[in-house]
């Protein structure tokens, strides 16, 4: 079995491996990396032999590190061992690729969904429906763009309702308050003020990655798509996308035991800062830090930096994704919409869910 792993910003690691009775055997490691001394390459391969074929990336990476340390201590390899452009974890990732435990973007075909306007409650319900569908094998990986008209505030799964939202202001302004299944911060949504999409992928695509690494990995195409429309973007912190002028977007994730991952991104296109500060308690402080005080001020990093209509920004993002990965256009099925409608009533508009963290 053959597996390859390109280290982000580093070198290519290649592993050819056979298994015997559930254990790794006949391991060969190669690549365009740099390694000193030469005999350390054989030590790396030997350290993997005998490891369980279903061992985690962490376990395999530790085996490589421990094997090199032991060989150095025994005088079998001259110290120090220098690995440039790769490390034990990247070798472990290549092993997982060889065994089919880890996949690449090219291993999947993504269904691209862009339905007409739906209620925000339906969108948060569809996040659960499509993630569960992937985990159950009922649908493949998906990229779904949101369209909506009614205003809403969507808080993260673990946020405190009363700490985040001024419910009196939300009611006065006609803003629906919802809680989604993914973590992260609150979203203030009116028609046309955000660019929001949900990406549902198999856990194998982010196999061996920390949560922080998986955010950067799944946001990488967004950063490149923004470059297509003239925005110099980069990932920052745990889950944000920013430019030299400030934050552009935030991401959130939910991972199911079934092996499906929901990755959700919201970009600020043209937000009414005054209204947002009335509804979001935390938002008042965050936005005031940017010097936004007046009611006629707006949070518009995507609009002001791209100088494009929102629909064109969405179209460019979609075109970049479709040009980069294997995709096909798709539509929501009747059973998925029915399930989403059921969840809207039984969960996402139920006060017991919305206020589950009071």
């Amino acid at each position: 079995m053959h597996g390859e792993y390109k280290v982000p910003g580093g070198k290519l690691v290649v592993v050819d491996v056979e298994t015997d009775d559930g254990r790794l055997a006949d391991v060969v490691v190669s690549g365009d990396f740099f390694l000193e001394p030469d005999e350390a390459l054989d030590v790396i391969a030997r350290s993997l032999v005998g490891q369980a074929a279903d061992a985690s990336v962490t376990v395999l990476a530790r085996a490589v590190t421990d094997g090199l340390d032991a060989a150095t201590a025994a005088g079998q390899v001259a110290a120090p061992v220098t690995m440039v452009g790769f490390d034990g974890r990247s070798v472990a990732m290549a092993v997982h690729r060889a065994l089919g435990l880890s996949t690449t973007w090219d291993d999947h075909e993504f269904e691209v969904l862009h339905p007409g306007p739906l209620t925000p409650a339906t969108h948060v319900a569809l996040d659960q429906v499509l993630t569960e569908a992937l985990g159950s094998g009922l649908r493949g990986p998906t990229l779904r763009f949101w369209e909506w008209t009614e205003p809403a505030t969507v808080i993260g799964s673990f946020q405190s309702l009363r700490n985040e939202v001024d419910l009196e202001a939300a009611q006065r302004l006609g803003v629906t308050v919802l809680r989604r299944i993914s973590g992260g911060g609150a979203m203030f949504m009116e028609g046309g003020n955000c660019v929001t999409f949900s990406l549902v992928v198999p856990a194998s695509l982010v196999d061996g990655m920390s949560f922080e690494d998986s955010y950067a990995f799944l946001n990488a195409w967004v950063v490149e798509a923004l470059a297509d429309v003239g925005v110099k973007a980069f990932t920052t912190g745990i889950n944000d996308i920013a430019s030299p002028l400030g934050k552009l977007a935030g991401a959130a994730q939910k991972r199911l035991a079934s092996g499906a991952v929901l990755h959700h991104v919201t970009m600020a296109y043209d937000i009414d800062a005054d209204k947002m500060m009335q509804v979001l308690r935390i938002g008042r402080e965050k936005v005031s830090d940017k010097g936004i005080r007046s009611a006629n001020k707006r949070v518009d990093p995507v609009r002001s930096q791209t100088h494009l209509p929102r629909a064109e920004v969405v179209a460019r993002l979609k075109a970049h994704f479709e040009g980069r990965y294997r995709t096909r256009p798709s539509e929501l099925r009747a059973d998925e919409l029915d399930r989403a409608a059921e969840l809207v009533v039984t969960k996402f508009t139920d006060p017991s869910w919305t206020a589950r963290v009071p």
Side-chain angles (χ1 to χ4, degrees):
M1 293 169 280
H2 178 87
E4 300 181 358
Y5 179 72
K6 174 66 169 64
V7 180
K11 295 297 185 177
L12 179 69
V13 181
V14 181
V15 169
D16 292 281
V17 60
E18 294 182 9
T19 60
D20 183 17
D21 196 25
R23 299 280 171 177
L24 304 186
D26 298 324
V27 180
V28 177
V29 179
S30 61
D32 61 358
F33 47 77
F34 300 96
L35 176 66
E36 294 291 346
D38 284 356
E39 56 266 27
L41 185 64
D42 289 335
V43 174
I44 292 173
R46 289 200 307 269
S47 69
L48 294 168
V49 173
Q51 295 293 321
D54 60 354
S56 69
V57 166
T58 300
V59 169
L60 295 177
R62 187 182 303 118
V64 170
T65 302
D66 291 347
L68 288 170
D69 289 344
T72 301
Q76 299 169 353
V77 174
V81 173
T82 303
M83 305 171 74
V84 180
F86 80 121
D87 55 16
R89 180 181 172 279
S90 54
V91 174
M93 289 291 295
V95 172
H96 264 222
R97 293 271 175 89
L99 298 173
L101 301 174
S102 176
T103 58
T104 70
W105 292 97
D106 292 337
D107 292 322
H108 305 285
E109 181 180 65
F110 293 82
E111 300 179 53
V112 179
L113 303 163
H114 193 181
L118 299 168
T119 67
T122 302
H123 280 298
V124 296
L126 283 169
D127 273 348
Q128 177 172 332
V129 170
L130 295 177
T131 308
E132 290 178 344
L134 175 62
S136 301
L138 300 176
R139 184 189 272 277
T142 59
L143 171 65
R144 178 173 60 89
F145 289 93
W146 293 31
E147 299 292 345
W148 67 95
T149 54
E150 66 183 70
T153 286
V154 183
I155 63 175
S157 180
F158 310 108
Q159 290 186 296
S160 163
L161 178 61
R162 62 170 171 251
N163 287 345
E164 295 293 330
V165 181
D166 186 326
L167 293 173
E168 181 180 340
Q171 184 176 20
R172 182 178 72 252
L173 296 170
V175 177
T176 302
V177 180
L178 302 163
R179 184 184 297 275
R180 63 180 184 270
I181 64 172
S182 58
M187 303 155 46
F188 177 72
M189 306 168 57
E190 292 184 291
N193 77 352
C194 296
V195 175
T196 300
F197 63 82
S198 298
L199 182 64
V200 178
V201 302
S204 61
L205 187 61
V206 293
D207 173 65
M209 298 182 191
S210 66
F211 271 93
E212 291 84 353
D213 289 344
S214 71
Y215 276 108
F217 176 74
L218 294 175
N219 281 338
W221 73 271
V222 185
V223 171
E224 293 189 9
L226 286 169
D228 292 347
V229 292
V231 179
K232 185 179 180 181
F234 50 87
T235 57
T236 182
I238 295 175
N239 62 327
D240 288 343
I241 299 172
S243 76
L245 299 180
K247 180 178 174 179
L248 295 167
Q253 283 186 15
K254 175 67 176 179
R255 299 190 179 197
L256 302 187
S258 61
V261 178
L262 167 67
H263 183 80
H264 176 105
V265 175
T266 294
M267 298 183 185
Y269 177 78
D270 188 13
I271 296 175
D272 184 328
D274 180 66
K275 188 178 291 186
M276 181 175 70
M277 285 189 287
Q278 291 183 62
V279 175
L280 297 183
R281 297 185 188 278
I282 303 300
R284 297 170 187 173
E285 184 173 343
K286 285 184 177 179
V287 177
S288 66
D289 287 345
K290 297 178 175 63
I292 299 173
R293 300 288 196 277
S294 171
N296 64 3
K297 294 288 185 179
R298 307 188 74 84
V299 180
D300 66 344
V302 174
R303 183 187 65 82
S304 62
Q305 292 187 55
T306 63
H307 306 292
L308 293 172
R310 176 186 174 279
E312 181 65 17
V313 173
V314 173
R316 297 283 192 93
L317 287 170
K318 186 193 301 184
H320 183 93
F321 189 88
E322 291 173 336
R324 181 168 177 165
Y325 306 121
R326 288 193 299 123
T327 65
R328 63 182 177 89
S330 187
E331 296 182 354
L332 293 167
R333 300 193 296 259
D335 63 309
E336 293 167 338
L337 288 168
D338 289 344
R339 173 62 176 152
E342 177 187 354
L343 286 172
V344 166
V345 174
T346 61
K347 181 174 183 176
F348 292 104
T349 59
D350 187 329
S352 66
W353 168 257
T354 307
R356 76 182 187 98
V357 183

